[in-house]
Amino acid sequence: MNIELASQLHCVRCGGEVETTCGDCGPEAPLELRPPLEPGSGPALLELFSQRRLSRRGPDRSGVWRYRELIAPGLPEDLIVTRMEGNTGLYEPRHLNAFAGLSSQGKLYLKHEGENPTGSFKDRGMCVGISLAIAEGAKVVACASTGNTSSSLASYAALAGIPGVVFVPAGKISSGKLAQTVAYGARVLEVEGSFDLAMRLVEEASAHFGLGLLNSINPWRVEGQKSICLELLDDLGWEVPDWIVLPSGNLGNISALGKALREAHTLGLIDRLPRVACVQAAGASPFARYVESRAQGETGEFMIEPDPETVATAIRIGAPRSVEKAIRELEHLQGTALSVSDAEILAAKAAVDACGVGCEPASAASIAGLKRLVAAGVIPPDATVAAILTGHLLKDPDTTVGYHDGTLPGIPRPSGLGRQTVEANLDSIGAALSDLL
Ligand SMILES: *Cc1c(COP(=O)(O)O)cnc(C)c1O
Ligand SMILES: [Zn+2]
């Protein structure tokens, strides 16, 4: 197929325009797409985006494709694959402020990316990645995944009618994610080893067998993921929050967020930049360690974590692939990175769940990280903060029930009611409810 796309591929290291890899910087150099951005076109774009909110047409109703001038300009609309992804809720549950340490003047918004069609933000990049892979003639698409990318790929590949193959670490993905991936009919290859090994394998296999690779090193995935930020800003009337906090594993999401903010700023859609915080799990925190050591004036190399471990399986990644892009975005946004323990993640998850909003464990790292940054005086208590909840509560039912039952190793049982067995009579029920009546 011969389609004219307006975005050009560039090398992130030297900035040069490239075809497939950078001849000067080598095949390892990360690449990014640059859509044409005309400063001054902001007002017309804002008008277009808000008109599309009223439209009934599929691509306009998608919270990704609504912003298509910034994502895949020039892609013919009949090549768009969509499940009306995005359009996720923005919540402001006031009683989370106290948990996070924010004052009543502070504002905490939760952008719930778990409300995407397959229950995680991965759908935003996947709909774009799949559309372009098919436009470019892929016959089979593939990814490595800790679970959510595979759920998303499986769904979109099925919808588009193209075979999907996913490489997952055996025994390390949650039951909700495995169920989705199998049900949508992707070929699941379980690899004995970590996500990082599965990632290496899928890259080799894609090059060798000509599979369309749909991990976030695929620059189109990043373009689609920018829409989390665009939609968040749109939800806020293009008013910029002071901070955006998000969980980080492979670092694709922070790369997309930073890119979206830079582009929105260039276009004049926003008049200032927020600060950002990447939150990692303590057992899988190579990026947080690197950023912290640089903040202390050390100049060491980035060190991978050979044996990542955390209850938050979506961020159980020791060798993040988008580290160069993430470093650049953090510098530009005066961002920070930190790590939190599994106990802190689960306590934060319980607080988000108890608001009636709920999320998967990795997502709650953002709230656990926010709590730390407020306590440390980095984020002022009266700040306006947007936290990205990356995945849905139902993604990992075993961890949630295990937490409330007190059966997770090393994690204290929460106070509160949880579940209990009752006898089949009103006396027993009355006793169980005595404190409520
Ligand atoms: C993928 C994912 C992350 C991590 O995003 P990266 O782009 O890998 O940093 C966090 N939370 C959930 C639920 C995810 O699915
Ligand atoms: Zn280069």
Side-chain angles (χ1 to χ4, degrees), residues 220-308:
W220 289 112
R221 285 269 319 274
V222 175
E223 294 304 285
Q225 267 170 232
K226 291 190 311 195
S227 66
I228 302 178
C229 180
L230 297 172
E231 193 181 279
L232 168 68
L233 293 167
D234 201 347
D235 291 342
L236 295 172
W238 303 92
E239 294 264 341
V240 180
D242 300 319
W243 282 84
I244 300 177
V245 292
L246 75 169
S248 285
N250 217 15
L251 301 170
N253 210 12
I254 179 62
S255 303
L257 180 79
K259 188 168 190 289
L261 288 165
R262 279 190 286 122
E263 293 174 357
H265 200 218
T266 302
L267 285 167
L269 299 177
I270 51 175
D271 56 9
R272 67 182 183 117
L273 293 169
R275 297 186 67 190
V276 295
C278 293
V279 191
Q280 297 206 291
S285 56
F287 187 62
R289 275 206 311 272
Y290 177 77
V291 171
E292 279 162 1
S293 73
R294 293 260 287 221
Q296 285 160 12
E298 291 163 32
T299 52
E301 295 267 297
F302 181 83
M303 302 278 284
I304 65 166
E305 165 61 61
D307 198 13

Side-chain angles (χ1 to χ4, degrees), residues 280-365:
Q280 297 206 291
S285 56
F287 187 62
R289 275 206 311 272
Y290 177 77
V291 171
E292 279 162 1
S293 73
R294 293 260 287 221
Q296 285 160 12
E298 291 163 32
T299 52
E301 295 267 297
F302 181 83
M303 302 278 284
I304 65 166
E305 165 61 61
D307 198 13
E309 195 48 80
T310 166
V311 70
T313 51
I315 50 174
R316 188 177 177 278
I317 293 174
R321 292 307 314 270
S322 294
V323 65
E324 285 184 52
K325 290 183 179 177
I327 290 169
R328 180 183 61 169
E329 303 306 347
L330 239 58
E331 277 172 4
H332 191 242
L333 295 165
Q334 298 173 42
T336 187
L338 71 161
S339 64
V340 292
S341 69
D342 280 3
E344 288 173 277
I345 289 174
L346 290 169
K349 172 174 149 55
V352 174
D353 293 352
C355 291
V357 173
C359 64
E360 75 162 278
S363 311

